[in-house]
Amino acid sequence: FQGQVLPLEATADPALQTILTEINRSLRLLAVDVTFWRSSRQPVTQKQRQQQIGARLAQLGQFLDMLSQQLGD
């Protein structure tokens, strides 16, 4: 999936570069969060991991909104 995202060096716009960098970082962290969630055994830990995943997805949604605005819809 990450290979399908616009390469970071493909843009000269610093604002767009920043957004793409944050999206890339968040996707990598989301993958780690999901791995930890899948390996958790305790219900409390699973719930904490699910909340973290939800927060990460919300953050990604915000970055995607920013990207859409930057690209002019």
Side-chain angles (χ1 to χ4, degrees):
F1 173 76
Q2 289 181 355
Q4 297 173 4
V5 177
L6 183 64
L8 294 178
E9 62 276 352
T11 179
D13 183 355
L16 186 58
Q17 177 81 24
T18 299
I19 295 168
L20 291 173
T21 298
E22 290 302 318
I23 289 172
N24 186 42
R25 182 183 68 83
S26 292
L27 285 171
R28 286 185 284 119
L29 289 171
L30 179 61
V32 171
D33 292 338
V34 169
T35 300
F36 285 155
W37 172 70
R38 291 180 67 188
S39 66
S40 62
R41 299 289 177 242
Q42 300 296 321
V44 173
T45 305
Q46 289 175 340
K47 183 156 181 70
Q48 289 172 341
R49 299 295 183 192
Q50 286 173 336
Q51 291 171 342
Q52 179 64 36
I53 289 168
R56 189 88 57 208
L57 290 171
Q59 184 181 47
L60 272 166
Q62 292 173 347
F63 288 137
L64 293 173
D65 288 343
M66 291 169 52
L67 179 61
S68 177
Q69 290 174 2
Q70 188 70 25
L71 294 175
D73 294 331

